[in-house]
Amino acid sequence: MKTKIEIPAVKLYNTRTRKKEEFIPINPPYVGIYVCGPTVYSDPHLGHARAAVVFDVLRRYLNHLGYKVRFVSNITDVGHLEGDSDEGEDKIQKRARLEQLEPMEIAQHYTRVYNMSMAKLNVIPPNIQPHATCHIPEQIELVEKILERGFAYVVNGSVYFDVPKYAKKYQYGVLSGRRLEELENVSRELRGVEEKRHPADFALWKKAPPTHIMKWKSPWSVGFPGWHLECTVMNAKYLGIPFDIHGGGMDLIFPHHECEIMQSVAAWDTEPVKYWVHNNLITIDGQKMSKSLGNFITIEQVFTGSHDRLSKAYHPMAVRLLILQTHYRSVIDFSDSGLAGAERAYKRLVQALKKLNNLEFVGGNEDTSMQAQIVEYIRKFYEFMSDDLNTARAVAQLFELAGIINKLSGEGKFVKTISKEVGDMLKNHYSKALTDILGIVPEEEHVDSTRLYGVLQILISIRQEARARKDFELADRIRDQLKELGIILRDTPQGTEWEIE
Ligand SMILES: [Zn+2]
């Protein structure tokens, strides 16, 4: 029996080329992944959960294959206006005004809520989680560079990207397939901003109105950066240009990612990304999620069951599994019954894991066709994972294996129908596939990881208080003892970050 599994080369659907391509990193074994993170002005919802889980599994899978992944996902804490085309109020500032808080208070609060929700979903924290507000000098530099190269213009203290000029030298719409002429007939009213020379132009820097709170000095005005700028600056800074994979939801293809490409090409004459990967959107009970339809569900509401559309609280792992049971490029529908089904499925998968760990495979009376089936389901798991991350079909293979495990456990602790070799292979791959690659962990481990996160936050804030009152002895003791446990604390201007060694 051949028990060595050959894992096929990974293929990914590249939005840029509109086809599935073999994944070949620019500098193997290193892989750079950048995923647009949340704009932190409200509680994260199921759409955030989807993007985070999809790219977490991609990262885990590449790590499993031996790549060394640097995963960067940003926090947008300035510059994202209500209208994506440079009009309306800054989302965070608006929230701050409504709640009478500092904008940074809003950003800090919702960053914490977001990270906590991600921890519950067992999403590995990014290696770097840069904040837009911490990269204002770099953003100003990039605007200067684009101006220098002649692809931007200044009007009344604001700077706009000159799209028609860009389109004369380079191709416009490479990612979204949009044509510049389509935008030409948009009426003045719909264009939103009078200062723009062309409706497709977009803001690189906006002069701040006097009431605006979040603003910085620049050569053009006291103002704030355009939304698209931060991602170009932060992915260039932490991953270099070009880098391997840029991810995000399909709704970001235009204008956000299209603008990222134009900024990078205008500044450095280089497209920023080799593979653009986009996950599809979500619906709730078959409808688009929106506040006006009353079907806007936050991640925390699913975990607590506190929404009219939900009959109960759902386990975070049920949410994670439901997401993975649909291919990332298909629309996913969240419903109460879908979540209930995913929760039952979750229990089935982890119960099989527990049973499997208690079995001992001794062989002696081998069922060769069952052995062949086991090897085949494992092989297919990797085949589907490598085929554009088809987690839906990969998970289906684990259900087949769970069925076999249930049957085998009927034999008692010592299983004779499976040889030791095949049995050990089953143990090894089933647990790796489920917990390491798909990130679906049993209840005990899950509670441990979210509790660990909570306890760490408490220790970090005690240490911050100690530092503030200059009790460095206590602060250092907390840091050193955590280090002995393999938890590394790092103090940065944004606060204390941690990493598990
Ligand atoms: Zn972005």
Side-chain angles (χ1 to χ4, degrees):
M1 171 114 319
K2 196 176 162 215
T3 53
K4 173 104 177 71
I5 299 286
E6 310 260 344
I7 299 181
V10 176
K11 286 189 183 142
L12 289 173
Y13 181 85
N14 189 350
T15 314
R16 175 71 181 82
T17 56
R18 294 172 183 78
K19 57 176 190 260
K20 242 189 246 182
E21 291 176 0
E22 188 177 333
F23 174 66
I24 304 167
I26 297 166
N27 293 308
Y30 301 100
V31 173
I33 303 182
Y34 185 93
V35 178
C36 292
T39 302
V40 281
Y41 71 106
S42 64
D43 287 324
H45 53 68
L46 288 170
H48 291 110
R50 185 176 199 191
V53 168
V54 163
F55 291 102
D56 182 56
V57 171
L58 177 59
R59 170 192 192 175
R60 285 166 177 270
Y61 190 53
L62 293 175
N63 270 328
H64 175 79
L65 298 182
Y67 292 112
K68 299 201 178 333
V69 180
R70 179 183 283 172
F71 192 95
V72 182
S73 187
N74 65 309
I75 293 291
T76 296
D77 52 2
V78 70
H80 194 168
L81 306 185
E82 287 173 276
D84 282 350
S85 55
D86 307 328
E87 84 276 11
E89 203 173 339
D90 182 287
K91 289 185 178 186
I92 289 157
Q93 161 142 335
K94 182 178 176 192
R95 190 79 193 212
R97 192 169 50 73
L98 294 176
E99 297 185 11
Q100 300 200 326
L101 295 168
E102 268 293 316
M104 267 305 161
E105 238 172 316
I106 299 288
Q108 194 79 69
H109 171 75
Y110 288 109
T111 302
R112 252 197 308 269
V113 174
Y114 178 83
N115 285 341
M116 197 67 188
S117 296
M118 293 306 126
K120 288 181 186 169
L121 286 168
N122 201 25
V123 170
I124 303 172
N127 299 105
I128 303 174
Q129 188 176 43
H131 291 58
T133 51
C134 299
H135 297 76
I136 301 293
E138 291 93 332
Q139 295 185 70
I140 291 173
E141 253 173 60
L142 182 64
V143 178
E144 280 173 333
K145 178 98 190 156
I146 296 173
L147 273 167
E148 224 175 81
R149 299 236 309 146
F151 294 106
Y153 54 90
V154 185
V155 185
N156 304 326
S158 290
V159 185
Y160 295 97
F161 192 96
D162 191 338
V163 175
K165 189 150 181 217
Y166 176 90
K168 268 189 202 126
K169 184 160 182 206
Y170 305 101
Q171 199 192 334
Y172 175 78
V174 288
L175 193 66
S176 63
R178 301 228 181 182
R179 292 180 314 132
L180 202 49
E181 304 84 68
E182 285 169 28
L183 289 157
E184 235 132 50
N185 301 323
V186 181
S187 69
R188 270 275 157 203
E189 291 77 33
L190 287 174
R191 293 178 190 194
V193 181
E194 283 292 317
E195 291 170 349
K196 288 188 201 174
R197 290 185 197 156
H198 188 281
D201 293 352
F202 56 93
L204 296 172
W205 186 265
K206 293 275 275 182
K207 182 179 171 178
T211 53
H212 205 89
I213 309 169
M214 290 196 288
K215 52 193 171 188
W216 293 263
K217 263 190 203 162
S218 81
W220 317 285
S221 63
V222 174
F224 55 94
W227 170 40
H228 314 301
L229 206 58
E230 58 172 290
C231 287
T232 297
V233 158
M234 297 190 282
N235 55 49
K237 176 161 177 168
Y238 297 113
L239 297 173
I241 293 275
F243 63 96
D244 298 297
I245 298 172
H246 194 315
M250 272 182 188
D251 52 334
L252 295 177
I253 294 175
F254 188 89
H256 187 51
H257 291 162
E258 197 75 79
C259 293
E260 276 190 46
I261 293 179
M262 288 193 276
Q263 289 168 161
S264 172
V265 172
W268 304 298
D269 214 10
T270 307
E271 276 203 31
V273 175
K274 192 169 177 194
Y275 304 92
W276 284 92
V277 179
H278 292 97
N279 65 279
N280 210 321
L281 307 180
I282 64 160
T283 54
I284 309 282
D285 296 319
Q287 287 175 308
K288 198 176 157 133
M289 186 168 77
S290 81
K291 292 218 161 90
S292 58
L293 289 171
N295 65 359
F296 193 91
I297 307 182
T298 69
I299 299 175
E300 207 49 42
Q301 283 172 329
V302 180
F303 297 165
T304 56
S306 56
H307 193 283
D308 296 346
R309 300 267 179 133
L310 303 173
S311 61
K312 64 182 272 296
Y314 287 103
H315 197 284
M317 287 295 105
V319 179
R320 187 167 173 112
L321 185 57
L322 184 61
I323 291 169
L324 297 177
Q325 282 181 296
T326 302
H327 189 265
Y328 78 90
R329 283 195 291 121
S330 304
V331 173
I332 188 170
D333 189 49
F334 280 92
S335 63
D336 192 54
S337 60
L339 283 161
E343 196 163 85
R344 285 192 298 273
Y346 163 60
K347 291 199 173 125
R348 204 168 116 83
L349 289 172
V350 294
Q351 273 161 9
L353 178 64
K354 279 181 207 160
K355 282 183 192 166
L356 180 62
N357 286 336
N358 287 324
L359 296 181
E360 266 182 54
F361 297 92
V362 289
N365 185 23
E366 282 94 347
D367 177 338
T368 45
S369 84
M370 194 189 264
Q371 294 200 137
Q373 273 182 344
I374 291 173
V375 177
E376 183 60 8
Y377 289 133
I378 294 171
R379 195 190 60 73
K380 276 182 155 171
F381 173 85
Y382 293 102
E383 185 184 308
F384 288 123
M385 286 301 290
S386 284
D387 182 15
D388 193 25
L389 210 67
N390 194 339
T391 55
R393 299 200 66 181
V395 168
Q397 310 311 309
L398 296 189
F399 281 114
E400 298 289 355
L401 290 171
I404 292 179
I405 293 164
N406 284 333
K407 214 185 275 175
L408 293 176
S409 68
E411 286 184 40
K413 186 171 170 60
F414 299 98
V415 179
K416 293 200 181 87
T417 45
I418 302 294
S419 70
K420 184 171 184 333
E421 192 191 8
V422 175
D424 288 348
M425 178 199 187
L426 175 62
K427 273 190 179 176
N428 178 23
H429 285 283
Y430 185 83
S431 107
K432 263 192 199 143
L434 187 64
T435 62
D436 294 358
I437 298 176
L438 299 179
I440 304 279
V441 288
E443 181 68 20
E444 310 80 64
E445 275 178 52
H446 182 260
V447 170
D448 282 356
S449 64
T450 46
R451 283 207 187 131
L452 168 70
Y453 187 88
V455 170
L456 262 178
Q457 297 308 315
I458 296 169
L459 281 171
I460 287 171
S461 61
I462 292 174
R463 182 167 166 271
Q464 269 163 351
E465 284 162 27
R467 274 157 55 99
R469 60 166 193 271
K470 302 211 170 355
D471 182 354
F472 295 111
E473 199 199 311
L474 178 61
D476 291 349
R477 202 167 76 214
I478 292 174
R479 189 196 56 207
D480 297 343
Q481 291 187 352
L482 284 174
K483 191 168 178 223
E484 279 170 29
L485 294 169
I487 299 167
I488 313 295
L489 299 188
R490 246 193 307 270
D491 298 311
T492 74
Q494 299 98 287
T496 304
E497 288 168 359
W498 57 271
E499 189 180 73
I500 293 183
E501 234 177 3

